[in-house]
Amino acid sequence: MEDLKKRKMEEMGNNGNSSTQEELRSLLDPLAKSQLVDLLSRLGSQYPSIAEEIKSIASSDPVHRKLFVRGLAWNTTSETLCAAFRMHGEIEEGAVIHDKVTGKSRGYGFITYKHMESTHSALRAPSKLIDGRMAVCNLACEGLSGSSTTPDLAQRKLYIGGLSPDVTSEMLLNYFGRHGDIEEGSVAYDKDTNESRGFGFVTYKTVEAAKKAIDDPQKILGGRTIIVKLADTKGKPVQTQVPTAAVIPLAMPVAPGYPQLGKAHPSAATAGYAFPQPVASYQASSYSSPAAAPAPYPSQLPIPYAPVAAKKDPQGILPTAPTGMSGPFMLSDNDRLYLKPTLRDRVLQIRTKRDQEF
C-alpha cells in the first residue's frame, strides 16, 4: 500500500512541474529580449546555480568565444600570439594564419577562449602591442573589419608618410601617443625583405586626437619631416582636391514676348507679333517728284567723218618685198607662215594702206 501511495505522489508532482513550466513559457514568450536579459541577470546574481547554467549555455557555442586578431607583424608566431592573449583567460586554440604557397604570415590570426568571460575581458582592451606592432581584436563572427568599422573611421585613421627606415612601429606609436589613445597603428613592412616601406598608419580612438596630430606643427620623427594626413578605409592617403571656382548663373535680360528656357510664361496669352500685320496706306499726294539735276556740260553735235572704203586683201601669200626696202612692216616668208591668220591679215591691211599713201 505504501508503494502505491509513493507512486501516486510522484506522478502528481511530475504533472505539477510540467504544467508549471508550460505556464512559465507562456508568460515569458511575449516578453522582449531586453526584459528577458534583465530577468536572467537578476536571477543569476541571486542564485549561483542559475549563473552557472547561463555560463555553460553561452559558452557551448564557440562563435561567442573566438576572436579575430589583425595587424600582426610578419614575424609573429602562434606562440607569441597566444602569450599576448593568455592574460585574459585559458585559451582553447590560437594560431597565426600563413600563406599555403609561401608559408609566410598573412598578418592576422585567431584566438578561441575556453570560457566566454575571457572573450569579453579581451574585448575590453582590443588593442595590444605584439612584436612592435599594434594589433586589434574583435569577435570573429563580426567579420574582418570588426567593430572598428564605424562611421567616423575615415576621420580617425591617419596616413604617415616620409618615415625613416630606422623608425619602428614602437617609435611611431610612442610619437603619436602624445595626442591621444591609439586604437591601431604600425609601420608598413615589406613581406619579402621585412624592411620598412617608408610609411605607416595610425588609428586613434577619437576624432579629436586625430585632428590634433594633423594640426601639430612639429612633425619631425627620426630626423625627418613626416607627412600626416587622413587615410581612407582601405589605407590609402586621401587626395585633397582644390575646389574649383563656383560658376554663378547670371540672369540675362530677355525682352517681353519671348519665352525663357525652363520657365513658364507668366501670361496665358501668346505674346509676340501676329502675321500678317496691317500696313498703312500710301498717300501719293504727300510726296512730290524730285527736281531734275542741271546738266554740267552743254550738249555737242556729233562730228562727221568721211567714209573710207576698205579694200579687200588679196588672197594668198604676198610677194617678197624688193631688196633694199626695210621697215617695221616688212615680213619674211617664214614670218607669214607662223603668224596667226587674223594677225597676219591685220598686218597686211596696215601695209597696204601705207603703200597707198605713198
Side-chain angles (χ1 to χ4, degrees):
M1 294 293 293
E2 293 180 359
D3 295 337
L4 293 174
K5 290 181 180 181
K6 289 181 180 180
R7 290 178 182 177
K8 289 181 180 180
M9 292 293 294
E10 291 177 358
E11 290 177 358
M12 291 176 64
N14 293 334
N15 292 335
N17 292 336
S18 61
S19 61
T20 304
Q21 291 181 0
E22 291 178 358
E23 290 177 358
L24 291 176
R25 285 180 178 274
S26 62
L27 294 175
L28 295 174
D29 185 60
L31 297 180
K33 181 180 178 180
S34 58
Q35 294 175 335
L36 294 175
V37 171
D38 294 338
L39 177 61
L40 291 176
S41 61
R42 288 198 302 268
L43 294 176
S45 60
Q46 296 177 4
Y47 302 97
S49 59
I50 297 178
E52 292 296 330
E53 186 69 18
I54 294 173
K55 292 179 181 180
S56 62
I57 295 175
S59 300
S60 61
D61 192 350
V63 174
H64 305 294
R65 298 182 283 110
K66 190 173 185 179
L67 296 178
F68 169 75
V69 186
R70 67 182 186 279
L72 298 176
W74 306 119
N75 57 348
T76 299
T77 60
S78 299
E79 291 76 12
T80 308
L81 178 65
C82 293
F85 283 88
R86 193 170 286 115
M87 58 183 298
H88 300 288
E90 185 178 357
I91 296 177
E92 186 178 281
E93 184 181 4
V96 175
I97 305 303
H98 294 81
D99 189 89
K100 296 181 180 180
V101 180
T102 61
K104 295 182 179 181
S105 172
R106 302 185 64 178
Y108 63 89
F110 295 94
I111 292 290
T112 304
Y113 285 100
K114 190 173 183 179
H115 302 286
M116 193 174 180
E117 298 89 336
S118 303
T119 306
H120 291 167
S121 176
L123 291 175
R124 294 189 187 99
S127 303
K128 290 178 173 53
L129 188 63
I130 304 175
D131 290 335
R133 297 189 63 174
M134 186 68 73
V136 181
C137 66
N138 58 268
L139 282 175
C141 60
E142 295 178 353
L144 298 179
S145 56
S147 58
S148 62
T149 304
T150 56
D152 61 345
L153 178 61
Q155 286 76 35
R156 296 187 291 108
K157 188 172 185 178
L158 302 181
Y159 167 83
I160 316 298
L163 296 177
S164 172
D166 301 330
V167 174
T168 62
S169 297
E170 294 183 5
M171 296 173 60
L172 181 69
L173 296 175
N174 292 332
Y175 179 82
F176 284 95
R178 58 182 179 173
H179 301 296
D181 295 334
I182 297 177
E183 179 181 298
E184 183 181 1
S186 64
V187 176
Y189 291 94
D190 188 87
K191 293 183 180 181
D192 300 328
T193 61
N194 200 24
E195 296 180 355
S196 173
R197 299 178 62 183
F199 65 91
F201 299 96
V202 171
T203 303
Y204 284 97
K205 292 184 178 180
T206 59
V207 179
E208 291 74 13
K211 290 182 179 180
K212 290 181 181 179
I214 295 176
D215 298 337
D216 186 7
Q218 300 295 332
K219 298 183 177 66
I220 300 176
L221 178 61
R224 290 186 180 182
T225 302
I226 59 177
I227 301 171
V228 181
K229 60 175 65 177
L230 290 175
D232 59 9
T233 55
K234 296 182 180 179
K236 298 179 181 179
V238 176
Q239 300 293 336
T240 304
Q241 297 181 356
V242 179
T244 57
V247 179
I248 302 175
L250 299 178
M252 299 299 294
V254 180
Y258 292 92
Q260 300 184 17
L261 296 177
K263 296 183 179 180
H265 201 274
S267 61
T270 304
Y273 298 97
F275 294 95
Q277 298 182 6
V279 181
S281 60
Y282 175 74
Q283 299 179 2
S285 61
S286 61
Y287 297 96
S288 59
S289 300
Y297 301 101
S299 59
Q300 298 180 359
L301 297 176
I303 300 173
Y305 292 94
V308 178
K311 291 184 179 182
K312 186 177 182 181
D313 295 336
Q315 300 295 329
I317 301 174
L318 296 178
T320 305
T323 305
M325 295 182 64
S326 63
F329 300 102
M330 299 304 295
L331 297 177
S332 63
D333 296 337
N334 294 332
D335 294 337
R336 294 190 186 96
L337 293 175
Y338 290 103
L339 286 174
K340 293 183 178 180
T342 55
L343 181 60
R344 184 181 61 187
D345 297 342
R346 182 60 179 165
V347 172
L348 291 175
Q349 291 178 4
I350 297 173
R351 193 190 66 175
T352 304
K353 186 178 181 181
R354 187 195 64 176
D355 293 342
Q356 290 177 359
E357 294 177 355
F358 289 101

